[in-house]
Amino acid sequence: RAFREVMDDGTELRFDHGAPYFTVSNDEVVRVVGGWEARGLVAEWKAMFACFDRETGKFRDFDKEGTMKKYVGVPGMNSICKSLCQEDGVVSKFGVTIGKMDWLQDRSSWSLASLDGKDLGSFDFVVATDKNIASQKVSGLTGKPPPLDLSVFPHLSAMIQDIPVRPCFALMLAFSEPLAMV
């Protein structure tokens, strides 16, 4: 997500406060991301990571977090999605909350319906950006069952449970001078 703020002096600040970066471990996905990199949709993120020690008021533990190559969208993370939405044959739906997903075995496609039950059509592939598509937590927000009923797809249930989720808080700060250390 991007957020823009205009300062009193007219300077525009742009904050990209979605996922800070992503990594890839699957060989097939590595090839896809390599294509995105060649097209300029992503670039390697070589940021230094550090912890701020509140007691000393200094940054410590300067280190590259992990050894996997980190990628960022260019100019922002949403650039990847914007580009994919322009691909031939891609049907994009915006501003719609998916209420139900059903696999149509006879058509080998996914049937999607909105939260209010409106038929959104059949699709060969569905990209879910969050494993909560099958989480009971959705019911607390919508009052309806999660869009994807994993009892119908037991193999997906195990796969989704194995997806690591690391929450991340984004603090959007602007400094009058760049921080040299981080």
Side-chain angles (χ1 to χ4, degrees):
R1 294 187 157 154
F3 174 78
R4 289 183 174 83
E5 179 71 30
V6 178
M7 303 301 293
D8 291 338
D9 67 0
T11 303
E12 182 182 60
L13 302 175
R14 184 176 182 276
F15 298 94
D16 192 349
H17 59 96
Y21 64 87
F22 67 95
T23 60
V24 182
S25 58
N26 176 285
D27 290 338
E28 188 175 339
V29 179
V30 167
R31 285 190 293 279
V32 170
V33 173
W36 293 349
E37 192 172 18
R39 291 169 48 198
L41 297 176
V42 299
E44 183 177 4
W45 192 34
K46 298 180 181 183
M48 293 292 290
F49 290 85
C51 296
F52 183 75
D53 186 329
R54 187 175 58 171
E55 291 177 18
T56 64
K58 296 181 180 183
F59 288 98
R60 62 178 175 77
D61 299 332
F62 288 89
D63 196 322
K64 285 227 177 207
E65 186 180 87
T67 58
M68 293 183 78
K69 188 173 181 180
K70 293 166 189 59
Y71 295 93
V72 293
V74 177
M77 290 299 261
N78 64 359
S79 301
I80 302 163
C81 294
K82 285 179 179 179
S83 177
L84 292 175
C85 288
Q86 303 302 316
E87 298 281 329
D88 288 339
V90 172
V91 176
S92 303
K93 304 274 184 178
F94 297 96
V96 177
T97 301
I98 302 298
K100 188 156 179 60
M101 295 174 60
D102 288 312
W103 177 250
L104 305 175
Q105 188 67 41
D106 58 328
R107 292 196 228 164
S108 294
S109 64
W110 290 96
S111 171
L112 302 181
S114 65
L115 199 54
D116 62 5
K118 180 181 174 193
D119 180 21
L120 299 173
S122 296
F123 301 86
D124 295 330
F125 302 95
V126 174
V127 176
T129 59
D130 190 327
K131 75 179 197 175
N132 283 330
I133 195 161
S135 172
Q136 291 301 321
K137 293 176 187 176
V138 171
S139 298
L141 297 172
T142 66
K144 299 190 182 223
L148 182 60
D149 180 1
L150 287 179
S151 67
V152 181
F153 309 100
H155 63 288
L156 280 181
S157 180
M159 291 169 60
I160 285 177
Q161 295 308 316
D162 289 342
I163 297 172
V165 175
R166 289 188 268 163
C168 174
F169 290 95
L171 181 61
M172 298 179 286
L173 300 173
F175 297 91
S176 58
E177 298 294 324
L179 295 178
M181 295 173 22
V182 178

